[in-house]
Amino acid sequence: MKMGDPEEAAEHGRRLILHNFLSFQECKELEFIHKSNCTVGYRPHVFSTTLSHLIATNSAHLIMPFVPIRERLKEKVEEFFGCQYELFVEFTGLISWSRGSSIGWHSDDNRPYLKQRDFAAVCYLNSYGNDFRGGLFHFQDGDPATIVPSGGITDGERLTLALWFSRDATYDEDAKLITLLSKNFLHDNAPELCLPFPASSNMYWFSPDQASSDQQLGFDICWARLHVLGYDLLFHQDKSYCSNISKLLMEPLRLTRGDELFEHEFINILHALQVVQFYCWKAPDFKSAKVEETTTVVLSQSQRERLVCLKSLFAKDVCLVDSVFSNVTFVGSAQHSFNWVDFRIAIAKWEDYVRKLHRELVMSLPHWRTQQSIFNASLDEK
């Protein structure tokens, strides 16, 4: 990690650049969270994951990996800019920029409803040249004037963790999140294995015209993220006649790959997507583990026909899906190393991961309520 001098920061536009602030595994975990939960974003070809959205979709446990990172970032900002104990986290979000996305000159407080923002922090979670190409991040003044990675994406997907800080306590994100957690999820009899619950389908519908949610154009991003990794989905009953995407997102399903149908049933598409993205994150850890063969069946002709019909519901333009989401190097590698035995291990490991984070959240929430602040409670696991 490299830090500058505060006086130098003041002279050069008051900015601080920290190298290797997050570990590789922290970046990969946040990537998993984003790619298995994101919705369409606030600009064309941009996707976002907010902490409130995680809570609303029964994935509140996934806020836990953010907790120590938010603390460390806030401490660095307060230390470097000389405002110890003055700041509140105003907003936390994962934001990805795909092919065709860009943004012009702007400041992050350039709207009346954003004037409370005093400081911004952006953590780059993947690599320019390997995960995406295109664009440079420019400042209008100060040094350095240009930073790679940045916007104006021509290939792949650039992923960032963005935080804004305010001196105004009325904009404290923590208080709002604690209220949501207290109201919606953590009851004494809540199950440890929290299965995700999809939001409204329009939040997952990508349209070439982002101002429109017209489902005659575009595609569902949950289905699309499965598709670019080589998966299709098949519902237990024939749903090819159903045109209600919101209903389909909630239906139990099984995954297919090539001409094979996997035996395991997922509660809904978000459940399947979380396990698939978890497998992408953790697959290298499963190579030494061997279990009995996993059962798959060969797709019948009628099942193949149902897959084609379902594809036409979830994606009006498959070429657009490939253009927006495909990263040839990564996808090719993931497909080459795939096997169903490792994937079955991933299901069990994902369940362990969810239970662990859920326990941490249940143990932390009483402390957060007392302090009205989200922090790393450093509780011993019980």
Side-chain angles (χ1 to χ4, degrees):
M1 182 180 297
K2 182 168 68 176
M3 291 183 60
D5 180 80
E7 294 183 1
E8 181 183 1
E11 181 182 347
H12 294 295
R14 295 190 64 79
R15 69 187 63 122
L16 170 64
I17 299 173
L18 301 173
H19 299 283
N20 302 316
F21 181 77
L22 300 181
S23 70
F24 177 78
Q25 279 303 317
E26 285 176 318
C27 293
K28 297 305 289 185
E29 185 169 21
L30 294 180
E31 179 182 11
F32 149 71
I33 292 171
H34 179 69
K35 289 187 175 180
S36 58
N37 295 277
C38 70
T39 64
V40 293
Y42 64 103
R43 300 182 64 82
H45 296 253
V46 172
F47 306 93
S48 65
T49 305
T50 66
L51 302 191
S52 59
H53 175 73
L54 293 175
I55 296 171
T57 53
N58 206 38
S59 296
H61 52 279
L62 292 178
I63 74 173
M64 296 307 295
F66 292 86
V67 174
I69 296 172
R70 290 166 91 244
E71 279 192 300
R72 283 155 47 199
L73 275 171
K74 181 171 171 286
E75 288 171 0
K76 284 297 179 188
V77 171
E78 289 181 329
E79 173 191 352
F80 190 79
F81 295 102
C83 48
Q84 284 88 343
Y85 311 113
E86 293 182 16
L87 299 185
F88 302 90
V89 178
E90 186 259 355
F91 179 84
T92 306
L94 294 168
I95 303 171
S96 65
W97 302 68
S98 65
R99 178 183 294 177
S101 62
S102 64
I103 188 169
W105 291 115
H106 71 284
S107 64
D108 288 343
D109 62 350
N110 62 353
R111 297 286 187 275
Y113 58 86
L114 300 177
K115 292 301 181 183
Q116 71 277 2
R117 292 180 172 178
D118 295 302
F119 297 94
V122 179
C123 296
Y124 294 102
L125 305 179
N126 57 0
S127 300
Y128 178 86
N130 293 328
D131 302 299
F132 66 91
R133 295 193 246 340
L136 296 173
F137 187 98
H138 297 292
F139 291 102
Q140 285 187 314
D141 53 39
D143 183 44
T146 301
I147 295 177
V148 176
S150 73
I153 306 303
T154 60
D155 192 25
E157 187 174 10
R158 186 197 78 177
L159 177 58
T160 60
L161 169 65
L163 281 84
W164 285 271
F165 302 93
S166 177
R167 290 187 171 93
D168 188 341
T170 61
Y171 293 94
D172 183 9
E173 181 182 46
D174 287 12
K176 299 171 186 175
L177 295 175
I178 291 168
T179 298
L180 288 174
L181 288 167
S182 301
K183 284 182 177 179
N184 297 331
F185 291 97
L186 298 180
H187 308 295
D188 291 338
N189 61 348
E192 282 197 346
L193 183 56
C194 299
L195 297 174
F197 188 88
S200 172
S201 63
N202 67 329
M203 297 186 70
Y204 303 111
W205 193 262
F206 175 93
S207 174
D209 176 11
Q210 203 79 341
S212 169
S213 59
D214 181 4
Q215 294 188 355
Q216 298 306 310
L217 301 169
F219 56 83
D220 177 85
I221 62 174
C222 298
W223 179 91
R225 287 198 182 276
L226 291 168
H227 167 77
V228 296
L229 292 171
Y231 301 87
D232 274 305
L233 49 88
L234 197 67
F235 297 101
H236 180 64
Q237 296 180 331
D238 184 6
K239 301 291 182 179
S240 58
Y241 60 86
C242 180
S243 60
N244 187 333
I245 297 294
S246 290
K247 184 173 176 10
L248 287 176
L249 293 179
M250 301 299 301
E251 291 287 332
L253 60 92
R254 289 188 288 173
L255 290 174
T256 75
R257 193 175 177 88
D259 61 355
E260 294 182 314
L261 174 64
F262 186 47
E263 61 180 357
H264 187 86
E265 185 173 84
F266 298 92
I267 194 69
N268 56 50
I269 194 171
L270 209 56
H271 179 203
L273 181 59
Q274 285 196 10
V275 172
V276 166
Q277 293 293 346
F278 185 84
Y279 172 76
C280 290
W281 172 28
K282 293 290 190 178
D285 300 341
F286 304 147
K287 294 306 176 185
S288 61
K290 296 296 178 186
V291 296
E292 65 276 6
E293 285 298 315
T294 296
T295 302
T296 60
V297 297
V298 177
L299 290 167
S300 67
Q301 182 60 34
S302 64
Q303 288 173 328
R304 293 174 190 274
E305 292 171 359
R306 284 160 56 188
L307 286 180
V308 173
C309 291
L310 288 168
K311 181 181 292 187
S312 69
L313 291 174
F314 282 106
K316 305 306 179 184
D317 185 348
V318 175
C319 291
L320 180 63
V321 172
D322 295 334
S323 172
V324 171
F325 279 141
S326 283
N327 182 323
V328 175
T329 302
F330 173 77
V331 172
S333 174
Q335 290 177 335
H336 178 72
S337 61
F338 177 86
N339 70 74
W340 286 116
V341 174
D342 288 345
F343 189 80
R344 173 161 287 285
I345 297 171
I347 295 174
K349 295 292 186 182
W350 174 84
E351 292 176 354
D352 291 343
Y353 172 81
V354 168
R355 290 189 180 98
K356 176 179 179 293
L357 293 184
H358 179 78
R359 287 196 299 270
E360 292 176 1
L361 182 53
V362 169
M363 294 171 68
S364 297
L365 186 58
H367 300 272
W368 295 352
R369 284 184 182 132
T370 300
Q371 301 295 327
Q372 281 298 292
S373 177
I374 293 175
F375 59 96
N376 187 3
S378 299
L379 299 167
D380 293 331
E381 188 172 338
K382 296 182 180 179

